[in-house]
Amino acid sequence: DKGEFRHYMLKEIYEQPKVIAACLEGRISEERVLTSCFGADSAFLKDIENIHIVACGTSYHAGMVAKYWIEDLANIPCTVEVASEYRYRKVAVPKNTLFLTLSQSGETADTLAALRMAKELDYLTTLAICNVPSSTLVRESDLTLLTNAGAEIGVASTKAFTTQLTALLITSIAIASEKDALSDDKQVELVQALRSLPAYVDAAIKQDEAIKVVSEQFANKHNALFLGRGPMFPIALEGALKLKEISYIHAEAYPAGELKHGPLALVDEDMPIITMVPHNDMLDKLKSNLQEVAARGGELFVFADRDTDLHNEEGVIFTEVPKVDEILEPIVHTIPLQLLSYHVAVVKGTDVDQPRNLAKSVTVE
Ligand code: M6R
């Protein structure tokens, strides 16, 4: 039931504060991540020396964000691969590697095939981060962490993605802590940030009206370029996927530092550039990337917190996002991109919940 909402997608965007809270429930105390959330025997966490993440689509983008967190917090090498590639190649598995799948449905054919292949290889164990408790993926994996997002009806994944990220942050902190890579103080700080996450997401949703206005300037575009740096690069990929999927606007995403290596040639006054600006030591570098774009007449749609000193000006359409702990930025900054693609699709009159040619769960190759 869509209730007061016009589409399931919008309802699911608005549900995010609640389902993220459900994903955190019972998994963190005041001070730490509760490793019991991985099941009775969480001893495997100490043994992990490598991580292979395998998933498709939006779930793959969540995995790409997790790579930044895992290598940063736990100092453990992590690779991320789309399941349709992984399943058809010879994979080298280093000693004590965790095989981690991400899937909303738990029924994606390629992800299941990848898991079945992994079970024949010499992995430490297999862990699934999944939204559907009764799914094949959950049944066939050694360990599971459920995302608790509730049923997701819209084909475009929204709350499934942000709860996957929440579960992945919990997992990254747990591994870092068990590997003694994380001080107690740092863990308290991260867990406190996690506790504020539902409220931050709620604050981001409050920008809905402002984003709706921005979307009207966007709906006549034929192409779009999304830029990000660090863990915001996968968020740029996810923003581009959302826009393609439901508004049928051609969109690409690049790490901002790659501009000069090719995509800058595409930039002219008809090419909108969308950027989620992180508030960290990459801010100045990103600002100079944006200047490169502005100098070529590209129209900039910038999402940033107010302390970044970015604002509306000639050629820059600024939308404020809440200022949050740096670790949470990929999760909170996803919300405006979901809302932007939603409103653009509504303006264009596409079938938001059931885009052409797509199925909610890809159970055949
Ligand atoms: O159920 P899964 O998470 O395994 O699905 C993977 C992809 O098919 C899925 O994320 C797809 O990319 C979404 N439609 C994106 O919005």
Side-chain angles (χ1 to χ4, degrees), residues 56-59 102-108 111 155-158 164 238 241-242 245 358-362:
C56 299
T58 289
S59 298
L102 307 171
S103 176
Q104 188 286 127
S105 61
E107 303 297 346
T108 300
T111 309
V155 165
S157 184
T158 53
Q164 278 173 344
E238 175 59 9
L241 176 61
K242 281 299 80 105
E245 239 183 330
L358 299 177
K360 179 65 186 160
S361 136
V362 186

